[in-house]
Amino acid sequence: MPPDLLELFVDAAARPRTLSVPLPPGRTVRGDGGDADRPTLWLSDDPAPAGLWSRLHAAHGQSGLWPLLLEGYDGEPTRPWEDGEFWPERGSSPAEHDPDQLLAGWWAGQTAPYDGDDQLSNDRRVAVTAPYGLDWPGLAPPGEPWMAPERHADHWAEQLSLAQPAMRLGLVPAERGSDALAVLGWLGAANHTNDPGMLSAVLRSWEDRFGVRVIGVGFAELYLSVAAPPEETTEALRVAAEHFAFCPDNVWQGQRPCTLAAYAERIVDAPTWAFWWD
């Protein structure tokens, strides 16, 4: 085990931590802001070798290190990971937040009547979020997993690595994959929320309800495997409302037509979800 990796074992005194999976060359990285007194990321020097994400995922229970496929900024590949462009301990703990209240608040912020200059009239805003309009519909009911979420995540992490072969491997000291953004102090959604703990709170809820696992992160992108996606459009509409509140750009600047109803159709039976913040 690389000696500097021991710095990531933050609770080693209370709970023995080991990692038996051999790692390729890499190094730990400290975030460039916040009050963290130790690294919160191990980063491979080169793209992730085939199958390594799954082996590290299987070892997570013993190591406490969650594996991530990490994508660099287009044209500046050292950002944000190699440059330490994240802010550990900047945000709140995910446990402090109620996901329903968070999403309801973000929904209200996106659907509220607007008096200033805007490309969308208020009538058009309501039409985009039909059939709900201004009304937050509440959390969607849980889905039925197609397979064990861990197996599903292993498969789709491998597919993501094949689709984006430049992605590097990261390890983050997180008890659950949903908490990785909060532990890192990820800044990718800063134009929507500057508190990654809030994002992780929603991801915890999606882990429980939809078998979601965090498999990859970019400069402003998030990649999830989904073992229990909505299977019908009526179910998908409620999930789409959560997506819109969580990441409005997925709808406002996504595939046309840019409406909640069209977006819902695209996530029926979708085995992965991807988010991008402008």
Side-chain angles (χ1 to χ4, degrees):
M1 181 188 303
D4 59 351
L5 191 66
L6 294 173
E7 295 184 273
L8 294 185
F9 292 140
V10 293
D11 64 346
R15 178 178 175 185
R17 295 293 193 182
T18 59
L19 180 62
S20 58
V21 180
L23 293 177
R27 61 186 178 89
T28 53
V29 182
R30 292 177 184 268
D32 62 8
D35 301 320
D37 60 358
R38 64 175 66 234
T40 52
L41 173 68
W42 179 89
L43 178 68
S44 66
D45 291 339
D46 298 311
L52 184 54
W53 193 96
S54 298
R55 294 195 294 276
L56 291 166
H57 183 210
H60 171 257
Q62 186 60 39
S63 72
L65 300 177
W66 187 264
L68 294 172
L69 295 169
L70 299 177
E71 178 182 26
Y73 187 56
D74 188 26
E76 299 180 65
T78 62
R79 300 178 63 196
W81 312 114
E82 193 171 341
D83 292 352
E85 198 173 335
F86 43 91
W87 201 314
E89 301 186 8
R90 172 177 182 166
S92 57
S93 166
E96 297 176 14
H97 304 287
D98 178 270
D100 189 21
Q101 292 180 3
L102 281 177
L103 292 167
W106 288 332
W107 174 275
Q110 292 296 315
T111 60
Y114 186 72
D115 294 329
D117 278 340
D118 197 343
Q119 294 179 346
L120 290 176
S121 68
N122 288 322
D123 287 345
R124 175 59 179 150
R125 283 174 176 270
V126 172
V128 165
T129 54
Y132 305 121
L134 303 179
D135 299 324
W136 167 241
L139 296 183
E144 290 292 331
W146 295 345
M147 65 173 67
E150 289 72 24
R151 285 182 52 211
H152 188 79
D154 289 344
H155 172 77
W156 287 103
E158 190 67 18
Q159 294 304 304
L160 178 60
S161 185
L162 291 171
Q164 301 193 46
M167 295 183 90
R168 295 159 78 173
L169 181 73
L171 290 171
V172 179
E175 286 299 313
R176 2 182 352 169
S178 54
D179 289 356
L181 300 187
V183 171
L184 278 170
W186 184 63
L187 303 175
N191 289 338
H192 181 54
T193 174
N194 61 7
D195 185 348
M198 293 182 174
L199 299 176
S200 287
V202 175
L203 293 175
R204 282 185 174 192
S205 180
W206 288 352
E207 277 183 343
D208 297 338
R209 287 183 291 135
F210 306 117
V212 157
R213 298 294 183 267
V214 179
I215 58 175
V217 188
F219 185 82
E221 299 81 22
L222 178 63
Y223 303 96
L224 311 176
S225 65
V226 189
E231 297 180 352
E232 298 179 358
T233 302
T234 51
E235 301 170 19
L237 269 170
R238 292 278 294 278
V239 178
E242 294 191 36
H243 285 204
F244 177 73
F246 182 77
C247 179
D249 292 323
N250 263 33
V251 175
W252 289 132
Q253 301 186 57
Q255 183 179 336
R256 295 181 181 275
C258 300
T259 65
L260 199 69
Y263 182 87
E265 292 180 1
R266 294 192 288 271
I267 62 171
V268 170
D269 290 336
T272 61
W273 295 341
F275 299 91
W276 166 78
W277 289 264
D278 193 359

